[in-house]
Amino acid sequence: TTWVGANRSFAPIMTGSVYLGWVMNATPGINREADITVYDTGSTAKFIVGVPGDSTNAGVQRASDWASNESHYEIKPGQDYTFIAKYDFDAHAVSLVAYATNAAVPLEEPVTWLASMDLGVGFVTNLNRIELNAGAWGGEVIGTVYWDEIRIATSWRELLNQENPMWDGQGGDANWGTVSNWVGDVAPTSGVRVSFYEGIGSGTNIN
């Protein structure tokens, strides 16, 4: 059995959601593993996201009993993929999506994730450390594995370094859906938090 890894701590997060993003290139398969383990402040492993052992598909796994939920999204050897995982404290669930190198990562959080798993009420009370893991056993070798662009945030847009949509009112009307009323000429979708320039009076009606 061969394992390699590295870890990094961050300020504990106990409410809302934790988002974890990274780029990974691996050689998944039987007797191989390439993923990220997430820990609490007590150094207890809580869940694993990436490509679980003996799989070639993106998935999530509970660290206490190795129960997992694998997607049907295949991670092919030698290719870069962007992974984004989310832990929701209110729903006590971990979710994962993955995008191939030539696929655009959406600016808004997806409604449907590739794999999700309810870890149970009270199983995770805080998170503050990640560990990068690559392993092989049964005579297999790890192969080439690398991680890049590892990020931690508390929202999807923060993870992607995207500011909230900003209203500038340059569209000639007061309509929400007029794209030229927004900086960058991109109107926000439903449920997105937005910002307004200070110069816009509080009595302005926006339709």
Side-chain angles (χ1 to χ4, degrees):
T1 301
T2 304
W3 290 95
V4 295
N7 66 81
R8 178 63 60 90
S9 298
F10 53 92
I13 301 175
M14 295 170 283
T15 60
S17 295
V18 179
Y19 292 79
L20 172 62
W22 71 101
V23 174
M24 187 171 71
N25 185 313
T27 309
I30 300 299
N31 295 345
R32 292 195 189 101
E33 180 176 344
D35 46 42
I36 293 182
T37 303
V38 185
Y39 291 77
D40 66 8
T41 54
S43 296
T44 301
K46 290 300 179 179
F47 58 85
I48 301 163
V49 287
V51 186
D54 293 326
S55 177
T56 58
N57 296 340
V60 299
Q61 192 171 44
R62 185 167 49 217
S64 61
D65 58 4
W66 310 116
S68 63
N69 182 9
E70 295 181 21
S71 71
H72 296 292
Y73 189 82
E74 183 180 3
I75 303 302
K76 297 180 180 179
Q79 296 188 21
D80 290 354
Y81 291 86
T82 298
F83 292 80
I84 299 179
K86 171 187 178 181
Y87 181 76
D88 185 326
F89 282 94
D90 293 331
H92 35 83
V94 58
S95 302
L96 179 73
V97 290
Y99 303 93
T101 304
N102 58 354
V105 177
L107 296 182
E108 306 302 336
E109 182 175 331
V111 176
T112 303
W113 297 68
L114 289 176
S116 295
M117 187 176 188
D118 187 337
L119 301 184
V121 177
F123 182 72
V124 178
T125 59
N126 64 80
L127 297 170
N128 89 314
R129 183 162 67 91
I130 61 171
E131 183 176 77
L132 315 182
N133 295 308
W137 56 95
E140 291 291 340
V141 295
I142 295 174
T144 299
V145 181
Y146 69 77
W147 296 264
D148 197 7
E149 292 289 340
I150 301 167
R151 303 178 183 182
I152 297 170
T154 55
S155 73
W156 180 278
R157 293 186 69 87
E158 179 190 4
L159 190 76
L160 301 183
N161 289 328
Q162 295 294 318
E163 296 181 354
N164 294 334
M166 176 73 73
W167 173 279
D168 60 14
Q170 299 299 308
D173 58 35
N175 293 326
W176 186 276
T178 301
V179 296
S180 51
N181 277 326
W182 300 92
V183 173
D185 292 342
V186 178
T189 57
S190 177
V192 174
R193 187 175 297 176
V194 301
S195 301
F196 295 87
Y197 283 158
E198 287 185 8
I200 298 177
S202 61
T204 302
N205 291 320
I206 299 176
N207 300 313

